[in-house]
């Protein structure tokens, strides 16, 4: 499985933008980049995914480097409810399981 | 609409007991996944169903773990002769079929083996 590397933890002030980095230097051409997050005592939830182009949705933006070896999840205005563990995952072709790393634990300070 | 539900939410078992964990996926979702999450770790894949067919069970840690989905909807994960190392949160996720398709997770069942 292609691997991702994320910082163990990050901290943000409330209402500030947050940039969560992910390195995936061994990504293959058909791998999609998925982001999930897990709030305390809940199952993971989907945030966003992309292949080559930057993506925006109501939750976040995903910026993908031109060589696809890294990506950044952007939360435009962090709220206390965004405190969670964020996982960057490469999804292989086909309906394959998600391979979670340890993710980045985001703390949001009021 | 209704999401993925799991029951029970919490289960305490004595070592050696058998347990059964239930997952109700989102209606119409073909794919169903089970994951195990140890404390402080990310979820780890256990097994995968497409409809009633178990296509991948490579993540099941031992032959004490057994999963079924007989009618292609509800799934049950059974653990026989539970051990303390089985203590974890067991997560179920369902999705449509496809590389891009989002997996929707249930809240998990927290199993504690004493």
């Amino acid at each position: 499985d292609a691997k991702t590397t994320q910082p163990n933890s990050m901290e943000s002030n409330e209402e500030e933008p947050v940039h969560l980095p992910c390195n995936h230097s061994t990504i293959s051409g058909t791998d999609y980049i998925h982001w999930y997050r897990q709030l305390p005592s809940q199952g993971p939830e989907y945030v966003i995914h992309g292949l080559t182009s930057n993506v925006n949705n109501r939750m976040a933006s995903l910026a993908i480097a031109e060589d696809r070896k890294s990506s950044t999840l952007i939360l435009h205005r962090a709220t206390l409810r965004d405190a969670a563990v964020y996982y960057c995952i490469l999804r292989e072709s086909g309906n394959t399981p998600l391979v979670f790393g340890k993710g980045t634990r985001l703390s949001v300070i009021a | 609409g209704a999401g993925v539900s799991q029951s029970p939410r919490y289960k305490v078992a004595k070592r050696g007991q058998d347990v059964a964990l239930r997952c109700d996926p989102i209606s119409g979702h073909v794919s169903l996944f089970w994951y195990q999450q140890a404390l402080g770790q990310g979820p780890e894949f256990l097994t995968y169903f497409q409809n009633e067919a178990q296509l991948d069970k490579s993540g099941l840690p031992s032959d004490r773990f057994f999963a079924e989905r007989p009618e292609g909807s509800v799934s049950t994960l059974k653990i026989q002769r539970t051990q303390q190392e089985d203590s974890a949160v067991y997560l179920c996720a369902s999705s449509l079929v496809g590389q891009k398709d989002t997996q929707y997770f249930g809240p998990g069942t927290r199993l504690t083996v004493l």
Side-chain angles (χ1 to χ4, degrees):
Chain A
D1 295 327
K3 289 188 174 180
T4 63
T5 305
Q6 299 178 253
N8 289 333
S9 63
M10 291 185 66
E11 201 173 81
S12 173
N13 293 318
E14 197 176 13
E15 299 190 5
E16 294 287 323
V18 182
H19 290 229
L20 297 165
C22 180
N23 288 320
H24 29 78
S25 59
T26 59
I27 190 171
S28 74
T30 56
D31 282 339
Y32 279 78
I33 302 161
H34 290 249
W35 284 81
Y36 281 73
R37 72 179 186 180
Q38 189 170 23
L39 280 65
S41 301
Q42 295 188 25
E45 66 173 346
Y46 168 82
V47 177
I48 200 166
H49 76 274
L51 182 62
T52 56
S53 302
N54 294 344
V55 184
N56 299 296
N57 67 20
R58 63 175 179 82
M59 289 181 70
S61 295
L62 176 60
I64 301 173
E66 198 169 332
D67 63 5
R68 300 208 328 126
K69 293 186 176 182
S70 65
S71 61
T72 302
L73 178 70
I74 303 165
L75 307 180
H76 296 286
R77 288 180 69 231
T79 70
L80 296 178
R81 292 182 60 186
D82 291 322
V85 178
Y86 287 78
Y87 297 99
C88 170
I89 298 166
L90 301 183
R91 190 87 182 274
E92 297 175 1
S93 59
N95 197 15
T96 54
L98 297 171
V99 179
F100 292 83
K102 291 192 173 181
T104 296
R105 182 174 297 278
L106 175 67
S107 301
V108 180
I109 302 168
Chain B
V4 178
S5 61
Q6 292 186 246
S7 61
R9 290 292 315 275
Y10 303 91
K11 176 70 178 177
V12 178
K14 291 183 179 178
R15 189 164 59 92
Q17 282 184 331
D18 298 348
V19 298
L21 313 179
R22 177 187 169 107
C23 172
D24 284 83
I26 293 172
S27 177
H29 277 193
V30 170
S31 298
L32 187 145
F33 299 83
W34 283 98
Y35 295 85
Q36 180 190 58
Q37 186 171 25
L39 191 64
Q41 304 294 317
E44 291 191 356
F45 168 72
L46 292 177
T47 186
Y48 158 55
F49 290 86
Q50 188 166 314
N51 296 306
E52 68 278 3
Q54 190 174 18
L55 298 186
D56 187 347
K57 53 182 181 179
S58 62
L60 296 176
S62 77
D63 58 8
R64 296 186 295 103
F65 286 70
F66 172 75
E68 60 183 5
R69 194 185 184 199
E71 297 179 357
S73 178
V74 171
S75 178
T76 304
L77 176 67
K78 297 179 179 178
I79 309 174
Q80 297 177 326
R81 305 180 304 280
T82 53
Q83 303 294 316
Q84 284 189 324
E85 61 262 29
D86 299 335
S87 296
V89 175
Y90 290 85
L91 295 159
C92 173
S94 71
S95 75
L96 298 168
V97 177
Q99 180 185 23
K100 299 180 292 181
D101 286 311
T102 300
Q103 289 191 15
Y104 295 86
F105 283 80
T109 295
R110 180 176 296 278
L111 173 65
T112 303
V113 181
L114 302 177

